Amino acid sequence: MSGLTNYLALNGYDLSLIFQSGYSTSITGFYLLNGNDISSLFEAYTPSGPQAPLTGLISLGGGDLSTLFNPIIFTPLKIQGCCLWLDGADSATITTASSKVSGWNDKSGQNYHFAQSTAAKRPTYANNVITFTGANSTHLIGNNAATNFAMGTNSYSCFVVCSIIPSVDATANIYCKGRYQNIPGRLFISKNPNNTYLNARFSRDSNAIFGIDDNTYASGTYRIIELILNRKVLKNDYIYVNGNLMRTTSNSADTNTSYSNNYLMLIGVGNDSAGTGVLTQTTEHLTGNVAEIVSYSNSTDMSNADREKIEGYLAWKWNINSSLPSNHPYKNAKP
């Protein structure tokens, strides 16, 4: 950052240091003239903290200091069209009972919250991630708002940070919306049966599924799985893993509105054939961890620049930036 100079705290600390990349010193001892400690404002504005508006920070000259914060910290909300943001690092959005998750709230502002009312089917929460155990059929179900999420004719993008522990002859459903078998608008990110491959798939009609099943997955390794559906100008669909392009396909203009459905949105399991219930096969439940899910729905296609910012944010946050491509703009620095 440039221009953040000569902002000194009363104890002589240079406030500009806080904004520099790599700053790790505890943010304490920064007081306003009225004695209030402003450290809490800095902490609240980190990507894992609540997005509190930074207003009323006025300098002696009358300038509003809140504008200085805006370009500093990148969050998914800085990209237009964020329609789902589930953040495992934000404990304030997770409701637990005996370390088991009964609710995971959406930070996008769309209120697509997830919950599990049955205690025996609740995943656990520790170390900033939610752990699903396939043997116990643990999963989370979207509320009415999440159930009624409608893609319509919008372009759509989904980013999932997860770690899978593969099991033999099992399909691990990580995130999905739609119903079992091929139907228009079916979305799912999963692990294939009989191997350790990943899938990220979308059904444009009753037969065609765009996806990958050729990416060997190392057990327990965190990855960013990305499904980018451009339905406007570019008309291209992409699947990335850690910012590495795995597959692309070109499609004609897609104006299908049947993607507006009320099927369940689920984490840790797949939908049944009706799309309104959970699969009963425990062999298709996830055994592994989900750290973060971010989705976007827009009347325009997602740009490469925006995709890379989201990849950079997730990669640095979850310590997997070394897996980004060598030419990625955020491999060596945060967005």
Side-chain angles (χ1 to χ4, degrees):
M1 295 300 301
S2 61
L4 295 177
T5 58
N6 298 321
Y7 289 95
L8 301 180
L10 292 179
N11 55 11
Y13 288 157
D14 187 343
L15 289 175
S16 66
L17 296 175
I18 297 173
F19 298 90
Q20 305 307 312
S21 177
Y23 182 84
S24 60
T25 303
S26 178
I27 303 170
T28 59
F30 294 98
Y31 297 95
L32 298 175
L33 289 176
N34 62 6
N36 291 338
D37 189 344
I38 66 173
S39 64
S40 60
L41 295 176
F42 288 87
E43 300 296 343
Y45 211 60
T46 63
S48 62
Q51 302 305 305
L54 295 174
T55 58
L57 296 175
I58 308 299
S59 70
L60 292 177
D64 189 345
L65 294 179
S66 65
T67 58
L68 296 176
F69 291 76
N70 293 331
I72 307 303
I73 302 296
F74 176 86
T75 78
L77 298 180
K78 288 188 175 292
I79 304 299
Q80 184 179 4
C82 185
C83 62
L84 177 67
W85 181 14
L86 300 173
D87 182 4
D90 186 354
S91 59
T93 66
I94 298 171
T95 304
T96 61
S98 301
S99 297
K100 293 191 174 182
V101 178
S102 59
W104 195 3
N105 284 351
D106 172 24
K107 295 172 64 174
S108 75
Q110 300 300 314
N111 297 319
Y112 294 153
H113 306 314
F114 285 73
Q116 178 53 262
S117 59
T118 303
K121 296 181 179 180
R122 291 172 179 167
T124 57
Y125 179 60
N127 300 319
N128 292 333
V129 299
I130 294 181
T131 300
F132 296 82
T133 306
N136 295 330
S137 304
T138 56
H139 60 276
L140 296 173
I141 304 174
N143 61 6
N144 288 336
T147 299
N148 294 322
F149 165 77
M151 187 188 304
T153 60
N154 277 0
S155 294
Y156 177 81
S157 302
C158 184
F159 302 77
V160 176
V161 181
C162 60
S163 169
I164 304 170
I165 302 173
S167 54
V168 179
D169 298 325
T171 296
N173 291 285
I174 303 166
Y175 166 82
C176 78
K177 180 172 175 60
R179 65 178 175 86
Y180 191 72
Q181 299 177 340
N182 301 346
I183 62 161
R186 183 189 185 203
L187 291 161
F188 70 97
I189 294 176
S190 68
K191 182 191 77 68
N192 256 4
N194 303 314
N195 54 41
T196 55
Y197 297 149
L198 290 175
N199 284 326
R201 300 198 172 198
F202 172 68
S203 299
R204 287 187 173 273
D205 55 45
S206 60
N207 297 308
I209 290 185
F210 166 76
I212 59 169
D213 57 4
D214 58 353
N215 182 43
T216 302
Y217 187 87
S219 176
T221 301
Y222 280 94
R223 291 193 178 187
I224 310 167
I225 311 171
E226 311 164 36
L227 179 59
I228 312 294
L229 305 174
N230 287 334
R231 302 171 65 201
K232 301 300 178 181
V233 178
L234 298 177
K235 305 181 184 67
N236 291 333
D237 297 337
Y238 303 91
I239 294 175
Y240 293 83
V241 176
N242 293 338
N244 297 278
L245 180 62
M246 304 303 300
R247 183 171 175 181
T248 183
T249 185
S250 298
N251 296 286
S252 59
D254 182 0
T255 58
N256 192 339
T257 59
S258 64
Y259 305 154
S260 303
N261 60 59
N262 59 358
Y263 299 135
L264 286 177
M265 192 183 295
L266 300 165
I267 303 173
V269 69
N271 268 304
D272 61 15
S273 58
T276 55
V278 175
L279 280 173
T280 58
Q281 301 98 312
T282 57
T283 55
E284 296 206 3
H285 290 236
L286 171 65
T287 299
N289 304 318
V290 175
E292 192 158 356
I293 299 176
V294 186
S295 291
Y296 295 84
S297 179
N298 251 323
S299 59
T300 57
D301 295 334
M302 173 166 282
S303 68
N304 285 331
D306 284 347
R307 171 183 56 80
E308 289 170 339
K309 287 179 182 177
I310 300 165
E311 291 166 349
Y313 157 78
L314 293 171
W316 280 89
K317 181 174 180 178
W318 298 103
N319 197 31
I320 50 178
N321 54 295
S322 61
S323 297
L324 293 174
S326 58
N327 61 346
H328 197 282
Y330 304 109
K331 185 177 180 68
N332 298 312
K334 299 178 183 180

